[in-house]
Amino acid sequence: MVKIKHSVSTRIANYLIVIIIFVGVIASLSFTLMAGNRSYAEAINVSGSLRMQSYRLLYDMEHQPELVEKGLQQYRESLYSQSLRNIHHQFFVSEDVKSSYDNLIMRWEKMESFAQQKNFVEYQRDIANYVAQVDQFVSALQYSAEQRWILAVWVIALSLLLIFVMVSYVNWYTRKAVVRPLEQLTQASIQVQMGQFKHIPLDVDKEDEIGNLARTFTKMSSELGKLYSSLEATVNEKTQKLQQTNRSLTTLYHCSQLVTTNNINGKILQMVMQNIMSSEHLRYLELEVLDAEHWNICLGTKQPLIECQQTDVSMEGETLAILHWQAGLPCPDLRTMNNLAQ
């Protein structure tokens, strides 16, 4: 089994895991910011009610003193409510908001003492400044909430942009490392199917699954090409031999017909020689008749640099003539020449 150094599937899986983790982190951060903004909204509502409660206490001190203690209790519940106390424990809360809340508590302790002592004059004298401090705290809360909303929007927008970039990169990498090589492999497969074993070049240098597949396919197509070429050469060779045998049989048949159906003379022998020369693609053919030179027949031009072959022409064991020839291309079948000489 071939060892894969750089797995494409593992790399893509890692990219997807990173994207999923990143989306989870961004979602958690967004939910945290949204939850903080919800708590901010509650804190703004509560702090906004402090203004009205302060004036309500002033009214009770003047007209309904018996309700002052109840009003103080309600005011303390509002001022020390969970939504306001959480300001010190939330993320992304500015120090101005925290210090403004602490100053408001310190200022209220003084105002509360005036209310408990039924000191209407001092309470009335400081109420305007205290309410202004409450308004300042509410404004700080509102501004901080707006900044958190802006931060949340920016975080979500940048996160979506980053996710888009990451997904685009994974898509680009997948097309580069998987889709395009597979398209090339498909095209190469079609070429091999059509008998074109020298297919388009594949990227065999990659140390991943696709590179391993490309190397295996290239080797397989090369072996198939060699096998196909060998088979084709064998078929061609057998076909040529069969054609040559068929041609030789045809030549033997025609020569036999000429000899058996006619009286043997120079003209008949020349026709036989012409059939042999044409059928076997000879350059030169000569029939040397023993003790009868006037029967000698020469066809073609004898080449001094080409080997001249010969065989005896005999009948019933007696040599009557000698057949000389110089082969052309393709070379004649020696069995045919020997059969003709019999």
Side-chain angles (χ1 to χ4, degrees):
M1 183 177 180
V2 180
K3 184 178 180 181
I4 304 299
K5 293 184 179 180
H6 307 289
S7 175
V8 175
S9 58
T10 302
R11 181 172 296 182
I12 294 176
N14 291 336
Y15 288 153
L16 294 178
I17 291 173
V18 170
I19 292 176
I20 292 173
I21 293 175
F22 181 76
V23 170
V25 171
I26 296 304
S28 301
L29 181 59
S30 300
F31 287 141
T32 301
L33 291 174
M34 295 301 178
N37 286 334
R38 180 180 178 182
S39 178
Y40 257 49
E42 294 177 1
I44 291 173
N45 290 333
V46 173
S47 60
S49 68
L50 294 177
R51 176 190 179 95
M52 182 185 66
Q53 292 184 54
S54 300
Y55 284 112
R56 178 68 183 179
L57 281 172
L58 180 63
Y59 177 82
D60 290 342
M61 289 173 64
E62 183 178 6
H63 300 94
Q64 297 176 325
E66 68 278 5
L67 298 179
V68 171
E69 188 61 34
K70 182 179 179 181
L72 289 174
Q73 180 64 30
Q74 292 177 350
Y75 197 94
R76 281 193 292 268
E77 290 177 358
S78 298
L79 184 61
Y80 297 104
S81 63
Q82 188 67 36
S83 59
L84 291 179
R85 286 189 290 111
N86 285 339
I87 290 176
H88 287 283
H89 307 291
Q90 291 181 0
F91 296 103
F92 308 109
V93 177
S94 65
E95 292 298 327
D96 291 340
V97 175
K98 295 179 181 179
S99 61
S100 180
Y101 179 61
D102 293 337
N103 293 334
L104 187 64
I105 292 176
M106 293 175 59
R107 186 65 180 273
W108 166 246
E109 291 176 355
K110 183 178 179 181
M111 297 295 292
E112 185 179 21
S113 65
F114 292 151
Q116 289 174 344
Q117 296 171 7
K118 307 296 190 295
N119 191 343
F120 177 78
V121 176
E122 293 294 334
Y123 189 91
Q124 185 180 25
R125 181 172 58 85
D126 290 347
I127 187 64
N129 292 332
Y130 179 74
V131 169
Q133 193 168 354
V134 171
D135 292 340
Q136 181 183 0
F137 174 62
V138 173
S139 298
L141 275 177
Q142 291 176 340
Y143 179 77
S144 181
E146 292 175 358
Q147 294 301 312
R148 287 171 66 96
W149 273 108
I150 294 174
L151 177 62
V153 171
W154 272 105
V155 168
I156 294 174
L158 292 177
S159 301
L160 291 176
L161 178 61
L162 186 57
I163 291 173
F164 175 77
V165 172
M166 295 171 67
V167 171
S168 299
Y169 174 77
V170 173
N171 179 63
W172 171 82
Y173 177 78
T174 303
R175 286 193 58 82
K176 174 179 175 292
V178 179
V179 177
R180 290 176 184 172
L182 288 181
E183 289 176 349
Q184 293 178 346
L185 188 60
T186 301
Q187 185 176 354
S189 301
I190 295 174
Q191 290 179 329
V192 171
Q193 182 182 5
M194 297 174 63
Q196 302 174 9
F197 297 99
K198 292 184 178 180
H199 52 75
I200 60 174
L202 303 176
D203 191 354
V204 297
D205 297 328
K206 287 186 175 181
E207 298 295 335
D208 53 25
E209 298 91 340
I210 303 299
N212 185 30
L213 180 61
R215 287 189 292 272
T216 303
F217 182 86
T218 301
K219 183 178 180 181
M220 179 194 69
S221 61
S222 177
E223 295 296 329
L224 283 176
K226 293 178 181 178
L227 180 62
Y228 183 82
S229 298
S230 176
L231 180 62
E232 190 176 37
T234 302
V235 171
N236 290 336
E237 181 182 358
K238 296 296 183 181
T239 302
Q240 289 178 0
K241 288 183 178 180
L242 182 61
Q243 291 175 347
Q244 186 174 11
T245 302
N246 182 59
R247 186 176 65 249
S248 299
L249 290 175
T250 302
T251 301
L252 289 173
Y253 173 77
H254 287 309
C255 292
S256 175
Q257 289 293 317
L258 287 173
V259 172
T260 57
T261 58
N262 298 283
N263 294 325
I264 298 177
N265 53 41
K267 184 178 180 180
I268 295 300
L269 289 178
Q270 187 168 6
M271 292 176 63
V272 171
M273 297 280 285
Q274 287 176 346
N275 283 337
I276 296 173
M277 189 167 184
S278 175
S279 173
E280 300 302 319
H281 304 284
L282 302 177
R283 296 176 182 271
Y284 173 75
L285 181 63
E286 177 186 357
L287 179 64
E288 180 184 355
V289 181
L290 301 179
D291 300 328
E293 296 181 357
H294 61 282
W295 284 62
N296 291 352
I297 300 174
C298 293
L299 298 177
T301 303
K302 189 174 184 180
Q303 303 292 329
L305 300 179
I306 299 178
E307 179 185 2
C308 188
Q309 303 180 59
Q310 67 180 35
T311 185
D312 294 338
V313 179
S314 59
M315 180 179 293
E316 296 180 357
E318 181 181 358
T319 301
L320 302 178
I322 300 175
L323 188 64
H324 304 271
W325 74 88
Q326 287 181 334
L329 293 176
C331 295
D333 189 352
L334 293 179
R335 294 174 300 176
T336 302
M337 302 302 293
N338 292 329
N339 289 332
L340 286 170
Q342 298 300 319

